[in-house]
Amino acid sequence: MLTRKQHELLLFIHERMKESGIPPSFDEMKEALDLASKSGIHRLIMALEERGFIRRLPNRARALEVLKLPESSTPSLAAPRKFSPSVIEGSLGKKPVEIRKPAAVETREAFVSLPVMGRIAAGVPIDAIQSQTHSIVVPPEMLAGGEHYALEVRGDSMVDAGILDGDTVIIRNASTANGGDIVVALVDDQEATLKRFRRKGASIALEAANPAYETRIFGPDRVKVQGKLVGLIRRY
């Protein structure tokens, strides 16, 4: 059972994400529930997470995912809808039965929603990964175990690996990588880039897949792996 405030906060977060695809800020949640401080919101979010209604995505500001709603409001977000077949009876002496096509939204139930966390440079590194900008849906077959997010690619340094400017890459959250993995690397806590990960003795090499770009070598304390590439989406 949820308290009234927990129920109100859960519905507010759900409605805001339906409207904009971005969770509300703590200030917006505080105002919506008419609370005196953000610490009250923090306690409500922890309670909702403990009860399995929401999930907080690590290392990203304002990254919340609503897993389900109370039964009094709507069924679990992950629960499949019951199959309701269209039955055609004999038409003799009766009006024809219209065969209804499933609504477009029903075809998305097998997909998974991922937050798009801004842009990543496949070229000259840009500022560190932003907060969530919007969401996309992907088939579950594209995902490995663990948590995932998406990034929009800018630049052409990974073209020989089949990654083009304008692509959207699917990243599995990870802090370690093997040699040859294509990773999201955060350099000096300031700039993020998509490159192939290599070890050069005690150093780390971030290798482009385009001969026009040089391999960059860093000390191990300057590079943090933020995730591994597991998939790619391209629009034509």
Side-chain angles (χ1 to χ4, degrees):
M1 293 287 293
L2 296 180
T3 66
R4 182 172 60 85
K5 287 295 185 183
Q6 291 168 356
H7 188 273
E8 290 177 359
L9 179 61
L10 180 61
L11 292 183
F12 177 67
I13 294 171
H14 176 60
E15 291 300 323
R16 178 60 61 87
M17 292 188 68
K18 277 177 37 178
E19 293 172 2
S20 64
I22 303 174
S25 67
F26 270 50
D27 285 326
E28 291 169 334
M29 289 186 273
K30 179 172 70 72
E31 291 183 11
L33 272 68
D34 195 25
L35 295 181
S37 68
K38 289 188 285 188
S39 61
I41 295 296
H42 181 70
R43 288 193 295 271
L44 290 174
I45 287 178
M46 289 183 62
L48 290 172
E49 187 175 28
E50 290 174 356
R51 288 162 174 77
F53 287 93
I54 65 173
R55 177 172 61 184
R56 288 184 290 180
L57 305 180
N59 304 322
R60 296 190 290 281
R62 293 177 61 174
L64 296 174
E65 181 181 5
V66 178
L67 300 178
K68 62 181 181 179
L69 295 178
E71 291 184 1
S72 59
S73 301
T74 187
S76 168
L77 297 181
R81 300 183 183 179
K82 294 183 178 179
F83 175 62
S84 180
S86 298
V87 178
I88 304 176
E89 299 179 356
S91 59
L92 183 62
K94 298 181 180 180
K95 292 183 179 180
V97 177
E98 179 184 359
I99 303 174
R100 298 178 59 188
K101 295 182 179 180
V105 68
E106 294 178 354
T107 64
R108 299 163 68 94
E109 288 181 338
F111 287 71
V112 179
S113 177
L114 293 183
V116 179
M117 307 301 296
R119 297 175 177 177
I120 184 72
V124 179
I126 57 176
D127 290 343
I129 299 172
Q130 307 165 16
S131 59
Q132 179 177 349
T133 59
H134 60 283
S135 299
I136 60 171
V137 290
V138 300
E141 294 80 11
M142 292 187 68
L143 308 180
E147 295 185 348
H148 297 74
Y149 57 96
L151 293 166
E152 296 175 346
V153 175
R154 290 294 177 267
D156 61 355
S157 73
M158 300 300 290
V159 293
D160 288 351
I163 303 170
L164 308 181
D165 181 55
D167 287 347
T168 298
V169 289
I170 309 302
I171 305 296
R172 180 169 62 86
N173 201 21
S175 58
T176 60
N178 298 318
D181 287 342
I182 296 177
V183 304
V184 173
L186 189 63
V187 180
D188 295 333
D189 290 326
Q190 294 182 345
E191 53 184 36
T193 187
L194 186 71
K195 292 292 184 292
R196 197 175 297 278
F197 180 91
R198 304 284 189 190
R199 291 196 179 274
K200 302 287 186 180
S203 300
I204 292 175
L206 298 181
E207 180 181 284
N210 183 335
Y213 291 82
E214 294 182 355
T215 297
R216 304 177 72 201
I217 308 294
F218 301 93
D221 58 336
R222 295 184 59 192
V223 176
K224 294 179 181 177
V225 174
Q226 301 283 284
K228 298 182 186 180
L229 175 73
V230 297
L232 182 146
I233 298 173
R234 178 172 300 151
R235 294 185 178 180
Y236 292 92

